[in-house]
Amino acid sequence: MDNLDYGIISNCKSAALISKTGSLDWCCMPNFDSSAIFAKILDDDIGGSFEIEVGEDYEITQEYLWETNILSTVFDNGMDSFQLIDFMPRYAREDGSYYAPPDIIRFFRLTGGEPKFKIKYDPKLDFAKEKTYNENKGDYIKSFTKEGKYDSLFFYSSFSLNDIIERKEITLKGNEYCLVGYHEKLVEQTLDRSYLKFQRTKVYWMNWSDKTTRYTHYGNEIMRSALVLKALSYKKSGAVLAAATTSLPETIGEERNWDYRFCWIRDASMVIKVMAGLGHIKSAKDFLQFIIDIIPHKDEKIQIMYGINGEKELTEHILNHLKGYKNSHPVRTGNAAYIQKQNDIYGILMEVIYQQFLMFETSLENSEALWTVVRGIVMIVQENWKKPDKGIWELRTEDRHFIFSKLLCWVAVDRAIKIGEVLRMGINDTKWKALREEIYQDIYNNGWNEEKQAYTQYYGSQDLDASTLLMQSYGFIEADDPRFISTVKATEKELCEDGLMYRYRNSDDFGKPSSSFTICTFWLIDSLYKIGEKKKAKQMFDQLLSYSNHLGLFSEDIDFKTKRLLGNFPQAYSHLALIETAANFSKGIATDGMIFRE
């Protein structure tokens, strides 16, 4: 496939990617960050897939069922046709808990004639490190490994299991199903049971969507993005993944391939703000609680990212046996960025805590604990804000005085002062205000480049950086300030190419970037709107939306020339920015004037 033409299905514990031709090419089980059981997307020879093979005369179309994360792929040759419905079960039980097993159900619905096809069921457990064996056990096919790490998988179906194993041609004469499960089933699996799970899961997603704030413009795009964010939410802990995949390259053939199946603190405040704005207070609160729970005590180091269960060690490994997406290697699991020092993390964390006090009720005990954290963060900022770091883009070269990092140190102190005002503490108020002013003046004097008439990437730099477009949204500068207007225009001139934005154009540890970072284009559109160039902003926004895949999904990057999607997919940050930017062009309308809770 020349583009990331995939749909995501999820049950908020794990996820799978299904191509526009109905091939299941990526899935990790039992959780988002587990080893892959299908990884054709990373190696089309040995990665493993679950494919539906039809004749060339079939036309294949794909869409989501209305306001759900259930995928429909229709196969039609004019005489014979069927609908493939893919989903991962998720629905509420009577006791209020959720049924969300590590299962994928593929429901075959006959819609005309007698369609013929073959099923290629080819799981490759543990990233295909060792050989996977398949055995017909009578009621199910068991897939398992013998060498290395033991793993197993179970396949149930109303089709003949022998026909599946031998890849014989199947004639569809009625509705059928397949179920791929990480655990062996204790009750008999039937067509009726799978259909009931489908209906219940459909109701779950439609109920969730019904609670989402409606917008007068770009409503469908906002809803799909909201559903993507929900699909990337790990219900057990409240964490939100950066993306569902690992090692999809930022540029074909290069080494910028990372594992994004983790939770970045930097995304936290945006997730909370956007999800709360969409009416999903429970989701916002769950994620906020995840962040609060992993906040270390006093002088313990704050990491930029954590595992979805709060894991601190995310050791990076390279899977040399996989050739990578379009031969782009290495394929990595884990992410070494977790050990990096990034001073912007303090501002992000303080923004999250500030939102906690603004949005939600907080007990006296929690308030006292958070106030301790606030004071501790200010102390850390006071000791570290003058030091260089790796910056927002997690560069693995020398540390520098990145302006975005300085900005977020300013945010940390600013929000600490405001939290103190909310709590009516007044503690260290004068001292903190002096620190805030000192950081402000440092950025104002050292970050500004007179020649460029813009804030640049780092102190003394001639290079521009898209992250400076966030200076206004964080409250450092007003939208009508000449410096901000000039920065926006200079950044657009230097970093924008054919309506798409570079993060920066200077060389980093892997050379010069050659693809557009999707969220940066949203930042530019948002900034242009705020400085009054609303018509231009809307035109750019409409153009950018046209670069999504056939289902309205975005990855991390876009190729400047071909406009193909690149990078890990689907990308939470891209869809967060889409929602926030779309909201500029529309007014949210909460049904019946109510704020809904999940």
Side-chain angles (χ1 to χ4, degrees):
M1 297 177 69
D2 292 330
N3 195 24
L4 291 173
D5 288 325
Y6 287 94
I8 183 174
I9 59 173
S10 167
N11 63 354
C12 303
K13 286 187 177 179
S14 57
L17 297 184
I18 296 164
S19 77
K20 64 180 180 181
T21 60
S23 179
L24 202 171
D25 289 353
W26 174 256
C27 182
C28 298
M29 279 192 180
N31 297 319
F32 288 112
D33 58 352
S34 301
S35 295
I37 59 172
F38 299 107
K40 182 180 178 180
I41 198 170
L42 293 178
D43 193 312
D44 52 15
D45 290 326
I46 69 169
S49 61
F50 183 173
E51 303 179 36
I52 314 301
E53 299 176 338
V54 297
E56 293 182 359
D57 58 333
Y58 277 85
E59 180 182 353
I60 306 174
T61 57
Q62 190 176 65
E63 64 181 357
Y64 279 106
L65 297 188
W66 179 248
E67 297 190 344
T68 74
N69 276 321
I70 300 174
L71 201 59
S72 166
T73 310
V74 174
F75 300 77
D76 191 338
N77 67 2
M79 294 180 60
D80 312 304
S81 61
F82 67 98
Q83 179 187 29
L84 176 62
I85 299 171
D86 284 304
F87 67 99
M88 301 183 77
R90 180 173 178 80
Y91 52 84
R93 297 188 180 99
E94 291 184 2
D95 63 1
S97 63
Y98 286 94
Y99 177 78
D103 293 349
I104 298 169
I105 294 178
R106 316 199 76 180
F107 191 85
F108 295 75
R109 178 174 168 262
L110 178 65
T111 55
E114 293 188 350
K116 294 177 173 58
F117 53 84
K118 293 180 181 179
I119 292 178
K120 180 182 178 181
Y121 178 66
D122 186 29
K124 296 294 178 66
L125 301 177
D126 194 18
F127 286 102
K129 290 178 184 176
E130 309 290 347
K131 182 178 179 180
T132 295
Y133 298 86
N134 299 306
E135 287 186 4
N136 186 344
K137 296 293 187 179
D139 294 332
Y140 56 85
I141 297 171
K142 182 179 179 180
S143 303
F144 57 94
T145 54
K146 292 180 180 179
E147 298 83 23
K149 173 187 171 185
Y150 176 77
D151 208 352
S152 60
L153 192 68
F154 301 87
F155 176 94
Y156 298 83
S157 182
S158 53
F159 292 120
S160 163
L161 298 182
N162 280 333
D163 288 352
I164 301 294
I165 289 179
E166 297 174 14
R167 298 184 187 174
K168 291 182 177 180
E169 185 174 76
I170 294 170
T171 300
L172 189 65
K173 296 182 177 180
N175 296 341
E176 306 283 358
Y177 84 96
C178 297
L179 183 153
V180 180
Y182 190 75
H183 304 301
E184 182 181 353
K185 296 300 178 185
L186 299 179
V187 297
E188 181 183 4
Q189 298 302 299
T190 65
L191 179 65
D192 288 345
R193 184 179 293 275
S194 289
Y195 184 72
L196 181 59
K197 290 177 182 178
F198 159 60
Q199 293 293 354
R200 287 176 170 171
T201 300
K202 182 179 177 182
V203 168
Y204 166 81
W205 286 116
M206 292 185 73
N207 281 338
W208 189 88
S209 295
D210 187 55
K211 298 172 185 176
T212 303
T213 302
R214 304 287 167 162
Y215 284 79
T216 57
H217 300 291
Y218 301 107
N220 291 338
E221 291 84 355
I222 290 172
M223 181 64 75
R224 178 51 50 199
S225 292
L227 283 161
V228 169
L229 295 178
K230 183 62 176 175
L232 294 173
S233 300
Y234 184 53
K235 184 62 179 178
K236 181 179 177 181
S237 67
V240 177
L241 282 77
T245 56
T246 179
S247 303
L248 298 188
E250 295 179 17
T251 302
I252 302 297
E254 292 190 4
E255 298 179 50
R256 303 171 194 267
N257 315 323
W258 319 111
D259 192 346
Y260 273 19
R261 298 171 299 154
F262 305 110
C263 181
W264 268 256
I265 300 299
R266 185 181 293 112
D267 304 359
S269 60
M270 197 171 180
V271 171
I272 294 163
K273 180 181 178 182
V274 168
M275 293 304 282
L278 290 172
H280 293 289
I281 304 298
K282 179 69 163 55
S283 294
K285 196 168 186 178
D286 286 348
F287 187 41
L288 194 148
Q289 191 59 50
F290 170 79
I291 300 300
I292 289 173
D293 288 344
I294 60 177
I295 293 175
H297 296 291
K298 301 198 175 178
D299 63 344
E300 187 181 347
K301 182 189 175 189
I302 300 169
Q303 295 184 187
I304 66 166
M305 58 189 292
Y306 293 85
I308 58 175
N309 284 302
E311 298 92 342
K312 295 181 180 180
E313 292 189 15
L314 309 175
T315 305
E316 195 170 291
H317 300 281
I318 293 178
L319 305 180
N320 286 313
H321 66 289
L322 295 176
K323 62 184 180 182
Y325 178 83
K326 302 295 182 183
N327 295 310
S328 302
H329 53 79
V331 173
R332 309 174 198 261
T333 60
N335 197 312
Y338 82 96
I339 63 174
Q340 287 189 0
K341 177 185 177 184
Q342 295 178 22
N343 291 335
D344 65 328
I345 193 64
Y346 307 119
I348 298 295
L349 196 54
M350 199 73 86
E351 177 81 352
V352 170
I353 296 172
Y354 183 49
Q355 288 183 6
Q356 162 71 31
F357 285 111
L358 288 182
M359 292 184 181
F360 307 113
E361 292 183 4
T362 306
S363 68
L364 179 60
E365 181 181 359
N366 283 345
S367 295
E368 291 173 345
L370 288 174
W371 182 243
T372 297
V373 173
V374 167
R375 291 167 54 231
I377 290 175
V378 174
M379 289 176 61
I380 294 172
V381 169
Q382 193 167 11
E383 293 172 2
N384 290 278
W385 76 268
K386 293 181 180 180
K387 300 176 182 177
D389 71 341
K390 297 297 185 185
I392 182 177
W393 306 124
E394 300 171 2
L395 303 181
R396 300 188 177 194
T397 52
E398 62 179 293
D399 291 1
R400 291 169 175 163
H401 292 280
F402 289 101
I403 290 177
F404 186 79
S405 296
K406 306 293 185 188
L407 168 69
L408 268 294
C409 286
W410 177 87
V411 169
V413 183
D414 178 72
R415 302 310 189 261
I417 292 168
K418 291 175 178 176
I419 291 168
E421 292 170 353
V422 170
L423 296 177
R424 298 178 180 174
M425 302 293 288
I427 299 174
N428 292 329
D429 191 61
T430 303
K431 184 178 179 182
W432 288 0
K433 284 184 176 180
L435 176 60
R436 179 177 64 180
E437 180 63 19
E438 183 183 3
I439 299 173
Y440 177 89
Q441 291 298 330
D442 193 72
I443 297 170
Y444 188 87
N445 295 321
N446 298 314
W448 180 256
N449 185 300
E450 275 293 329
E451 181 182 344
K452 293 284 186 177
Q453 283 295 294
Y455 286 101
T456 56
Q457 187 178 67
Y458 55 89
Y459 288 0
S461 172
Q462 293 288 316
D463 300 306
L464 299 187
D465 191 301
S467 64
T468 59
L469 297 173
L470 298 177
M471 298 179 84
Q472 185 274 335
S473 61
Y474 278 116
F476 181 86
I477 193 170
E478 296 296 327
D480 59 358
D481 189 301
R483 278 196 172 193
F484 182 68
I485 295 172
S486 179
T487 297
V488 172
K489 291 182 177 180
T491 304
E492 178 190 9
K493 182 179 179 180
E494 188 161 311
L495 300 185
C496 189
E497 183 175 305
D498 194 22
L500 295 173
M501 284 285 287
Y502 286 92
R503 286 178 286 181
Y504 47 85
R505 299 191 79 155
N506 47 303
S507 295
D508 57 23
D509 10 341
F510 299 102
K512 290 188 176 183
S514 56
S515 61
S516 170
F517 204 60
T518 307
I519 193 171
C520 295
T521 306
F522 285 119
W523 289 348
L524 175 62
I525 294 167
D526 191 58
S527 298
L528 288 171
Y529 185 92
K530 289 176 178 177
I531 67 172
E533 298 190 17
K534 296 183 179 181
K535 183 178 179 180
K536 182 178 182 179
K538 189 177 186 304
Q539 289 173 342
M540 286 188 66
F541 186 61
D542 289 336
Q543 182 183 17
L544 180 56
L545 291 181
S546 73
Y547 300 146
S548 71
N549 75 1
H550 64 299
L551 297 169
L553 306 187
F554 281 97
S555 61
E556 183 182 32
D557 304 88
I558 299 174
D559 184 86
F560 281 105
K561 293 181 180 179
T562 65
K563 306 302 188 288
R564 70 183 290 175
L565 301 180
L566 295 167
N568 283 306
F569 175 89
Q571 179 82 359
Y573 219 166
S574 297
H575 285 279
L576 282 163
L578 188 160
I579 294 170
E580 201 162 48
T581 305
N584 286 331
F585 305 107
S586 184
K587 292 184 178 180
I589 303 173
T591 307
D592 296 329
M594 297 174 64
I595 295 178
F596 289 103
R597 287 169 173 77
E598 183 183 33

